[in-house]
């Protein structure tokens, strides 16, 4: 402002012009702060700066300055702000040019998660020009720091899809596992997880803010094996996780040492070789310092057959298969037509397993005298399978040979007494009157343990050796006695008891060397005594040669057992022991890994083609030692079982010519007639074949059955006659015994037929059966003969079909030798000749030319009887039909009587014979018509039957005449009839 008074007008105008020129000169730069701090939110574009963005310029007029100056130019205004930096998403704009106020805003949407802050420089420029006419003035560069504020746009996300943990029951854990979630927001407020929560209700678990889960109580495996929890998370903005997470906590029982990874049931399919019993087994030691392990694997087969699975052939066949000498006598054979003394003994079916006989203390069998012939001076063998439990103190006789009558002497016997096996053998009297070994005792636990054991006695006096389950035992003690005194009394062999005289004193059967049997008992009553209680099988006696160890082991060895197959060198650190029957396997070692591998290679093996189905129990007992050389933990035993499945049952089929005819001369010839000339024996099994491809896609596809031929042995073929038994005086069944013996087979014959026994192939049996021939020395009176053939395998376990053969006899006559016979009965020659040669399709072998066929008397009688039988059947059918018609007629008449006929005042007396006469006459007419038609058809076939039919017709005619005379004697009573 001007303090002096104003000059004249000219002076004022001059000053004004000078001021305007001075104001247009841009002398000063704009001024701004050196540093700015700004904040911007993700979802906003305006930046809040501190301090505000204001640019000052000294060239601008000052309103409140002491001197007044009028500005009419723009050099003092702020025209803009310029931002320096690369890829800066901000711009600065001028809000008021005059005041220099500006603002910073974002040019695009900001994302805090991509970049949280920005730093750049800013510069202001005015609107004027410099003294030299250059561009506008610019301020200095100020630094701007802008922070992008976060918005809670993301929810927490768990790092894992699920969490798992395992804990041991009975413990409290501070931390079982940790769940962790993350948030994609950029700010600490929204990116941090502030809390976790278990959503699943009523679970004994808790979770803290850091995600650590712990149990709130002791867990029990018996109550719950596994818990499933649902867990969620919250960020600090209280936003919940988008998806909850699943947490599985398994409860492990308290560590118990023992075998794990084994199956209780294992199935064995026959014919598949060995079966690994424990392929995945391992030993849990609970982190104990184990130094050695011992395990015993037991296969229990005592309930199968005679202690285990063996071939179920007859004992005699088994002896032959094992290489024993011939001449073995079987004292307990399966009941049959030729060996029937064991029929009354209780026994199992003998099909799936061995056939055994039960003796209950009241039963015994007498062996026929012809079965056993033992020479006392030669060595002999007694073998038997026995199962016996703890019994009484009385003697229990297995086998006894004693006097049949008069005397009461025991020649030899095998019995059980106080769990001792005792063999008595009284030597021949020719040996002299000196003491000789007579009683041999063996004290064995096997005698009374209720298990099956195999015993073999090799007797070669004075030595007697006992083999029990293949192990030899010497007798102790041995009692001596005098030899028997001479006698001509026959002896009786008994199984299951002893045949002896009934004496008053208890020592009647004692074998004491001081006992003398007085002659006073001569003629006393004999009975069975000293009965056996237990089971016996395979009782055999063979004289002349002792049994060797190889044969004994073969008879005893099982066809099933345990097996261990490992690579070479893998079992060096282990001790392996196996018992002879391969039912007990023991392992011992200090390397746990090698021990487990050995256990995993233990297998079950059954070498039978058709094993006995059923359960075989498996048991493992173990002992573990730690560093203290003592048992540090108890390993529970393992109890499982092998299920042997039912084998595919073979079907044995017999086929061939089943009907043929031969001339009578062939039957009477020395060779006879071959019964099975073209016999064929085959065996097949039926298997299920799965369809090709995926059967689940097409449910209509079903499994198909395929028949497959297999090869196996046979042990018995029986040929029996159908009808009358064989007459040994005129007919017989013969076979080449030399060929039979070459094949090791045996034959037994009776009036019923022959039985061929011995284990051999089906082809060998075919060859032997082709040799069976039938002979008949009086074939002239024979018309036909029928036979039946049945073969079996494994002692009757698998039986073939019944193959029946019918053989007809062709009767021929010589015209020179029988001229008188032909002349006397010429009617039999021509009519019957052609029909007899044809024989309804019978095959005629080797016809003799020049011979005419003449029917025998038996042929004529059979034809007459058959014709008469046919006639009687036809007559009976017609009579039944006539009776049925009469009954229907009576019913019809009864219906007519029910009509509405008022007969209340009518009295009618009916002749009861009238209806019968009408019916009878109609019946006779029907019969005559049927008989005429039948006679027309059968006129050529009826011969001598005509006479008998005519006689029957005459008898009926006489009966009809009697009925007529009876009818004439009846009168009609019409006294009360009203017309």
């Amino acid at each position: 402002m001007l303090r002096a008074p104003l000059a004249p007008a000219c002076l004022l105008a001059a000053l004004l012009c000078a001021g305007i020129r001075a104001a247009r000169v841009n002398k000063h730069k704009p001024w701004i702060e050196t540093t700015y701090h700004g904040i911007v939110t993700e979802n906003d574009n305006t930046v809040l700066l501190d301090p505000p963005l204001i640019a000052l310029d000294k060239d601008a007029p000052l309103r409140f300055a002491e001197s007044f100056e009028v500005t009419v130019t723009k050099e003092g205004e702020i025209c803009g702000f310029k931002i320096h930096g690369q890829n800066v998403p901000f711009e600065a704009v001028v809000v008021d040019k005059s005041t220099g106020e500006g603002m910073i805003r974002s040019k695009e949407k900001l994302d805090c998660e991509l970049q949280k802050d920005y730093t750049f420089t800013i510069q202001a420029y005015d609107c004027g020009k410099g003294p030299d006419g250059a561009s506008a003035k610019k301020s200095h560069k100020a630094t701007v720091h802008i922070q992008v504020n976060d918005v809670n746009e993301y929810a927490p996300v768990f790092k894992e899809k699920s969490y798992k943990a395992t804990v041991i029951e009975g413990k409290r854990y501070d931390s079982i596992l940790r769940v962790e979630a993350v948030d994609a927001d950029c700010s600490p407020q929204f990116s941090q997880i502030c809390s976790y929560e278990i959503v699943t209700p009523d679970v004994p678990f808790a979770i803290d803010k850091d995600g650590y889960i712990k149990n709130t109580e002791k867990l029990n495996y018996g109550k719950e094996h596994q818990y499933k929890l649902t867990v969620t998370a919250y960020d600090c903005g209280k936003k919940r996780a988008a998806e909850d997470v699943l947490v599985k906590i398994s409860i492990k029982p308290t560590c118990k040492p023992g075998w794990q990874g084994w199956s209780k049931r294992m199935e064995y399919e026959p014919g598949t070789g060995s079966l690994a019993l424990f392929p995945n087994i391992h030993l849990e030691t609970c982190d104990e310092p184990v130094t050695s392990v011992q395990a015993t694997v037991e296969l229990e087969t005592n309930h199968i057959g005679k202690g285990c699975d063996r071939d179920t052939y007859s004992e005699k066949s088994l002896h032959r298969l094992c290489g024993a000498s011939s001449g073995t006598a079987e004292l307990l054979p399966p009941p049959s037509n030729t060996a029937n003394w064991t029929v009354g003994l209780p026994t199992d079916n003998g099909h799936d397993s061995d056939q055994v006989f039960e003796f209950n203390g009241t039963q015994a069998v007498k062996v026929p005298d012809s079965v056993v012939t033992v020479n006392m001076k030669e060595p002999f063998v007694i073998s038997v399978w026995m199962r016996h439990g703890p019994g009484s103190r009385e003697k229990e006789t297995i086998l006894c040979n004693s006097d049949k009558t008069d005397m009461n002497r025991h020649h030899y016997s095998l019995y059980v007494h106080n769990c001792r096996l005792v063999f008595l053998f009284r030597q021949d009297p020719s040996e002299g009157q000196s003491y000789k070994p007579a009683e041999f005792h063996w004290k064995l636990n096997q005698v009374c343990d209720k298990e099956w054991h195999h015993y073999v006695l090799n007797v070669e006096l004075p030595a007697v050796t006992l083999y029990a389950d293949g192990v030899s035992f010497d007798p102790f003690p041995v009692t001596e006695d005098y030899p028997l005194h001479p006698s001509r009394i026959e002896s009786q062999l008994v199984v299951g008891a002893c045949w002896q005289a009934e004496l008053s004193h208890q020592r009647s059967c004692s074998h004491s060397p001081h006992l003398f049997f007085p002659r006073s008992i001569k003629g006393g009553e004999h009975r069975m005594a000293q009965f056996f209680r237990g089971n016996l099988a395979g009782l055999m006696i063979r004289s002349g040669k002792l049994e060797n160890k190889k044969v004994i082991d073969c008879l005893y060895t099982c066809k099933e057992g345990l097996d261990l197959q490992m690579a070479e060198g893998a079992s060096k650190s282990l001790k392996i022991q196996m018992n002879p029957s391969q039912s007990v396997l023991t392992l011992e070692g200090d390397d746990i890994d090698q021990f487990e591998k050995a256990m995993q290679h233990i297998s079950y093996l059954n070498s039978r083609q058709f094993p006995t189905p059923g359960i075989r129990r498996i048991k493992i007992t173990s002992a573990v030692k730690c560093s203290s050389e003592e048992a540090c933990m108890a390993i529970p035993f393992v109890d499982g079982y092998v299920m042997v499945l039912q084998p595919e049952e073979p079907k044995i089929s017999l086929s061939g010519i089943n009907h043929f005819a031969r001339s009578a001369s062939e039957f009477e010839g020395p060779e006879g007639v071959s019964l099975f000339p073209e016999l064929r024996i085959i065996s097949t099994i039926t298997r299920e074949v799965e369809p090709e491809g995926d059967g689940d896609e097409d449910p209509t596809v079903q499994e198909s059955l395929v028949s497959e031929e297999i090869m196996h042995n046979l042990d018995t073929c029986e040929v029996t006659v159908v009808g009358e038994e064989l007459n040994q005086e005129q007919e017989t069944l013969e076979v080449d015994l030399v060929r039979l013996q070459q094949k090791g087979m045996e034959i037994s014959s009776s009036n019923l037929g022959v039985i061929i026994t011995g284990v051999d192939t089906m082809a060998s049996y075919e060859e032997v059966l082709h040799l069976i021939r039938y002979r008949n020395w009086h074939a002239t009176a024979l018309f036909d003969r029928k036979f039946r053939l049945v073969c079996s395998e494994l002692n009757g376990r698998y039986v073939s079909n019944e193959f029946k053969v019918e053989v007809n006899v062709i009767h021929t006559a010589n015209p020179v030798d029988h001229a008188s016979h032909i002349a006397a009965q010429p009617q039999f020659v021509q009519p019957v000749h052609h029909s007899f040669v044809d024989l309804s399709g019978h095959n005629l072998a080797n016809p003799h030319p020049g011979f005419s066929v003449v029917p025998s008397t038996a042929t004529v009688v059979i034809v007459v009887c058959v014709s008469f039988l046919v006639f009687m059947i036809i007559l009976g059918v017609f009579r039944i039909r006539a009776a049925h018609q009469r009954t229907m007629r009576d019913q019809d008449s009864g219906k007519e009587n029910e009509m509405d006929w008022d007969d209340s005042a009518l009295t009618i007396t009916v002749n009861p014979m009238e209806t019968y006469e009408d019916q009878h006459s109609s019946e006779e007419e029907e019969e005559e018509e049927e008989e005429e038609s039948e006679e027309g058809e059968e006129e050529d076939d009826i011969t001598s039957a005509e006479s008998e039919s005519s006689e029957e017709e005459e008898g009926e005619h006489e009966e009809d005449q009697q009925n007529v005379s009876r009818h004439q004697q009846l009168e009609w009573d019409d006294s009360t009839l009203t017309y």
Side-chain angles (χ1 to χ4, degrees):
M1 295 183 60
L2 299 176
R3 298 174 183 264
L6 295 176
C10 57
L11 179 63
L12 179 60
L15 291 174
L16 181 59
C17 293
I20 292 173
R21 289 192 298 268
R24 288 183 177 180
V25 177
N26 191 8
K27 297 181 180 180
H28 303 283
K29 296 179 180 181
W31 177 90
I32 58 177
E33 298 288 343
T34 59
T35 304
Y36 292 92
H37 293 275
I39 298 175
V40 63
T41 307
E42 282 182 314
N43 55 2
D44 196 3
N45 63 348
T46 302
V47 180
L48 300 178
L49 289 177
D50 183 26
L53 180 61
I54 298 177
L56 300 177
D57 194 333
K58 291 183 179 182
D59 294 328
L62 300 177
R63 291 180 182 180
F64 304 104
E66 293 182 357
S67 60
F68 176 75
E69 187 176 28
V70 178
T71 303
V72 294
T73 61
K74 297 182 178 180
E75 282 79 3
E77 294 181 352
I78 303 300
C79 280
F81 298 92
K82 185 176 182 181
I83 294 176
H84 298 277
Q86 294 182 354
N87 300 325
V88 178
F90 296 97
E91 63 180 357
V93 296
V94 178
V95 178
D96 190 346
K97 292 183 178 180
S98 61
T99 62
E101 181 181 357
M103 63 176 293
I104 298 177
R105 62 187 181 188
S106 61
K107 296 186 296 182
E108 57 190 34
K109 186 178 179 181
L110 301 177
D111 191 348
C112 176
E113 288 73 30
L114 297 178
Q115 189 169 349
K116 295 181 179 181
D117 52 36
Y118 295 89
T119 300
F120 53 87
T121 59
I122 190 171
Q123 193 177 28
Y125 60 91
D126 58 17
C127 299
K129 297 181 179 179
D132 54 356
S135 61
K137 296 290 184 178
K138 298 180 181 180
S139 68
H140 61 276
K141 293 181 179 180
T143 302
V144 180
H145 298 283
I146 297 178
Q147 179 181 350
V148 181
N149 280 353
D150 188 21
V151 175
N152 195 7
E153 57 182 333
Y154 292 101
V157 177
F158 287 94
K159 290 185 176 181
E160 304 290 341
K161 293 183 178 180
S162 63
Y163 293 86
K164 296 180 181 180
T166 302
V167 296
I168 300 177
E169 64 174 347
K171 290 185 178 182
R172 293 284 294 270
Y173 292 85
D174 294 334
S175 175
I176 297 176
L177 78 161
R178 183 189 182 191
V179 297
E180 188 176 1
V182 294
D183 197 313
D185 290 317
C186 62
S187 65
Q189 179 184 2
F190 301 133
S191 63
Q192 290 183 358
I193 306 300
C194 286
S195 64
Y196 294 90
E197 180 183 352
I198 297 177
V199 180
T200 306
D202 302 328
V203 290
F205 298 95
I207 189 170
D208 61 11
K209 63 182 183 63
D210 296 324
Y212 290 98
I213 298 176
K214 65 179 181 179
N215 56 319
T216 58
E217 62 184 40
K218 293 182 179 181
L219 304 177
N220 187 353
Y221 177 81
K223 181 179 179 181
E224 195 74 35
H225 292 358
Q226 187 185 69
Y227 288 92
K228 295 181 180 180
L229 314 177
T230 302
V231 179
T232 191
Y234 294 91
D235 60 16
C236 294
K238 298 300 181 182
K239 193 163 189 175
R240 183 173 174 173
E243 292 184 3
D244 299 336
V245 70
L246 178 64
V247 179
K248 296 180 181 180
I249 301 178
S250 300
I251 313 302
K252 185 178 180 181
T254 305
C255 183
K256 298 178 181 178
W259 294 104
Q260 297 180 0
W262 55 276
S263 301
K264 187 175 183 63
R265 174 189 171 99
M266 296 150 282
E267 292 187 351
Y268 179 79
E269 184 176 354
T272 56
S274 60
L275 169 68
L277 298 178
F278 320 108
N280 301 315
I281 197 170
H282 67 277
L283 181 62
E284 176 63 54
T285 59
C286 297
D287 300 329
E288 291 288 341
V290 176
T291 57
S292 66
V293 182
Q294 180 182 3
T296 300
V297 183
E298 298 181 50
L299 176 67
E300 298 181 0
T301 59
N302 296 332
H303 60 290
I304 302 296
K306 299 191 294 287
C308 67
D309 207 2
R310 296 181 175 89
D311 286 329
T312 56
Y313 296 117
S314 65
E315 199 69 22
K316 185 178 293 186
S317 298
L318 289 175
H319 277 249
R320 189 181 71 85
L321 290 176
C322 290
S325 302
S326 60
T328 302
E330 192 171 5
L331 304 186
L332 288 176
S336 63
N337 296 329
T338 58
N340 57 2
W341 63 88
T342 58
V343 172
L345 290 178
T347 178
D348 67 348
N349 55 22
H351 284 192
D352 290 341
S353 60
D354 299 313
Q355 188 173 45
V356 299
F357 295 90
E358 180 182 357
F359 294 84
N360 57 12
T362 61
Q363 296 165 321
V365 293
K366 293 182 179 181
V367 181
D369 298 337
S370 59
V371 175
V372 179
T373 55
V374 177
N375 189 345
M376 300 294 185
K377 296 182 181 181
E378 293 182 355
F380 63 95
V381 177
I382 299 177
S383 64
V384 64
W385 285 92
M386 181 179 71
R387 178 170 61 185
H388 182 266
S392 62
R393 295 183 177 272
E394 299 178 356
K395 295 180 180 180
E396 299 180 40
T397 302
I398 302 171
L399 176 67
C400 179
N401 182 272
S402 59
D403 289 334
K404 183 177 293 186
T405 58
D406 299 334
M407 305 294 289
N408 197 28
R409 302 173 303 173
H410 293 185
H411 298 263
Y412 62 89
S413 66
L414 181 65
Y415 60 92
V416 175
H417 188 208
N418 290 333
C419 291
R420 293 174 181 265
L421 189 64
V422 183
F423 176 64
L424 168 70
F425 187 82
R426 301 291 298 279
Q427 297 190 36
D428 192 81
S430 61
E431 298 296 329
Q433 296 298 322
S434 60
Y435 279 105
K436 299 289 184 180
E439 279 188 350
F440 303 84
H441 297 250
W442 292 271
K443 179 67 174 178
L444 301 175
N445 295 329
Q446 294 92 320
V447 175
C448 295
D449 63 357
K450 290 186 179 181
E451 302 292 344
W452 279 106
H453 297 284
H454 184 235
Y455 302 93
V456 176
L457 276 173
N458 275 344
V459 181
E460 188 176 17
L461 295 177
V464 178
T465 304
L466 172 67
Y467 289 88
D469 297 337
V471 180
S472 62
F473 295 91
D474 292 328
F476 181 82
V478 177
T479 306
E480 295 183 344
D481 198 354
Y482 281 107
L484 294 175
H485 54 275
S487 174
R488 295 183 179 180
I489 301 175
E490 295 182 354
S491 61
Q492 175 66 60
L493 183 60
V494 177
V495 177
C498 196
W499 180 254
Q500 63 185 30
E502 185 175 359
L503 301 179
S504 60
H505 50 84
Q506 297 180 354
R507 297 184 61 187
S508 60
C509 295
S510 174
H511 305 294
S512 171
H514 304 287
L515 179 64
F516 174 76
F517 296 101
R519 299 291 294 179
S520 59
I521 66 172
K522 186 175 181 179
E525 182 180 356
H526 280 62
R527 63 178 179 85
M528 294 290 184
Q530 301 176 5
F531 287 95
F532 179 76
R533 294 176 179 83
N535 297 98
L536 298 176
L539 181 56
M540 312 283 292
I541 291 183
R542 187 181 71 252
S543 177
K545 187 178 180 181
L546 299 180
E547 210 73 276
N548 58 51
K549 185 67 168 56
K550 183 178 179 181
V551 174
I552 294 174
D553 291 340
C554 176
L555 293 173
Y556 171 72
T557 301
C558 297
K559 295 294 184 179
E560 62 179 343
L562 300 175
D563 190 23
L564 177 59
Q565 297 291 338
M566 295 186 65
E568 295 183 3
S571 59
K572 288 184 178 180
S573 60
L574 300 176
K575 294 181 181 179
I576 303 175
Q577 294 181 349
M578 181 87 76
N579 69 334
S581 62
Q582 294 185 334
S583 61
V584 179
L585 175 64
T586 301
L587 300 177
E588 185 176 359
D590 52 7
D591 190 335
I592 301 297
D593 294 337
Q594 291 294 331
F595 196 92
E596 289 180 350
K597 289 182 180 179
M599 291 291 293
Q600 293 171 3
H601 283 80
I602 296 177
S603 60
Y604 168 81
L605 179 63
N606 195 316
S607 60
R608 293 190 62 190
Q609 187 177 10
F610 306 107
T612 303
I615 292 176
R616 275 73 161 168
R617 297 201 172 275
I618 299 291
K619 185 177 181 181
I620 303 177
T621 55
S622 308
V624 176
K625 291 183 180 181
C626 297
S627 57
S628 60
E629 295 296 331
E630 295 181 357
C632 55
M633 65 181 71
I635 305 296
F637 68 89
V638 173
D639 189 10
Y641 63 92
V642 177
M643 174 60 73
V644 179
L645 302 179
Q646 181 75 34
E648 295 173 339
E649 183 172 344
K651 180 181 179 182
I652 305 174
S653 301
L654 308 179
S655 60
I657 300 176
N658 59 0
H659 197 178
F660 59 91
R662 297 290 185 268
S663 63
S665 59
E666 293 189 37
F667 287 92
E668 297 175 352
E671 296 295 330
V673 175
S674 177
L675 294 180
F676 313 105
E678 298 183 11
L679 179 67
R680 177 83 172 114
I681 304 177
I682 61 172
S683 181
T684 57
I685 58 174
T686 303
R687 298 183 183 273
E688 293 184 355
V689 179
E690 296 182 357
E692 296 182 358
D694 191 359
D696 298 336
E697 298 178 357
D698 189 359
T700 61
V701 178
Q702 298 180 354
E703 295 181 347
S704 59
L705 299 179
V706 177
S707 182
E708 178 182 347
E709 184 174 350
I710 62 172
M711 300 301 296
H712 59 81
N713 294 331
L714 298 177
D715 59 359
T716 302
C717 279
E718 184 175 0
V719 181
T720 56
V721 62
V722 179
E724 297 181 357
E725 297 181 0
L726 294 174
N727 186 354
Q728 300 294 340
E729 296 181 356
Q730 66 179 21
E731 57 183 344
T732 183
L733 291 174
E734 297 179 351
V735 68
D736 190 346
L737 296 179
V738 177
R739 297 285 296 277
L740 203 65
Q741 292 176 358
Q742 290 176 353
K743 294 184 175 296
M745 298 182 183
E746 296 182 358
I747 185 171
S748 58
S749 60
S750 66
N751 294 340
L752 300 177
V754 296
I755 300 178
I756 301 174
T757 57
V759 180
D760 214 324
T761 63
M762 293 184 290
S764 296
Y765 266 90
E766 281 185 5
E767 183 180 349
V768 170
L769 292 173
H770 289 167
L771 302 176
I772 295 181
R773 313 183 74 84
Y774 170 69
R775 289 185 61 197
N776 193 309
W777 300 278
H778 303 284
T780 55
L782 181 66
F783 179 69
D784 60 8
R785 210 60 161 118
K786 298 179 181 179
F787 299 91
R788 177 174 56 245
L789 171 63
V790 177
C791 295
S792 63
E793 160 72 334
L794 293 175
N795 204 17
R797 181 176 178 182
Y798 302 116
V799 183
S800 71
N801 61 307
E802 289 189 356
F803 180 68
K804 295 182 179 181
V805 173
E806 180 179 350
V807 182
N808 293 114
V809 181
I810 303 175
H811 296 277
T812 59
N814 192 313
V816 178
D817 297 339
H818 304 281
S820 60
H821 175 73
I822 296 176
Q825 299 180 2
Q827 67 273 16
F828 288 109
V829 177
Q830 298 299 329
V832 188
H833 176 73
H834 298 286
S835 61
F836 227 94
V837 170
D838 182 69
L839 277 177
S840 301
H842 295 177
N843 297 324
L844 297 181
N846 300 327
H848 299 280
F851 285 75
S852 60
V853 180
V854 180
S856 63
T857 306
T859 304
V860 176
V861 173
I862 291 175
V863 172
V864 172
C865 293
V866 171
S867 302
F868 177 76
L869 179 60
V870 171
F871 173 78
M872 293 301 295
I873 291 174
I874 296 173
L875 182 61
V877 170
F878 288 155
R879 287 185 176 275
I880 293 174
R881 289 180 57 188
H884 177 68
Q885 292 176 359
R886 183 168 60 252
T887 303
M888 295 299 297
R889 191 176 303 169
D890 293 342
Q891 292 178 356
D892 294 338
S893 63
K895 292 180 180 179
E896 293 175 0
N897 292 336
E898 293 175 0
M899 300 293 291
D900 296 333
W901 179 270
D902 187 9
D903 56 354
S904 58
L906 182 63
T907 302
I908 300 175
T909 303
V910 181
N911 184 0
M913 294 301 297
E914 184 178 359
T915 303
Y916 171 77
E917 183 179 3
D918 295 338
Q919 293 178 355
H920 190 66
S921 61
S922 63
E923 178 181 346
E924 288 180 347
E925 292 175 358
E926 292 178 359
E927 290 178 359
E928 289 175 357
E929 293 175 358
E930 294 293 339
E931 287 174 1
E932 289 175 359
S933 62
E934 293 294 334
E935 288 173 359
E937 295 175 358
E938 301 179 0
E939 184 176 0
D940 297 335
D941 297 335
I942 298 177
T943 55
S944 59
E946 295 178 353
S947 58
E948 295 182 15
S949 61
S950 61
E951 293 175 0
E952 184 174 353
E953 289 176 0
E954 292 176 2
E956 293 177 356
H957 182 68
E958 293 176 0
E959 184 178 357
D960 293 340
Q961 291 180 354
Q962 293 178 359
N963 292 333
V964 171
S965 62
R966 188 181 304 163
H967 172 66
Q968 293 176 355
Q969 296 175 2
L970 295 176
E971 295 181 358
W972 179 269
D973 184 7
D974 56 353
S975 60
T976 59
L977 183 62
T978 304
Y979 292 94

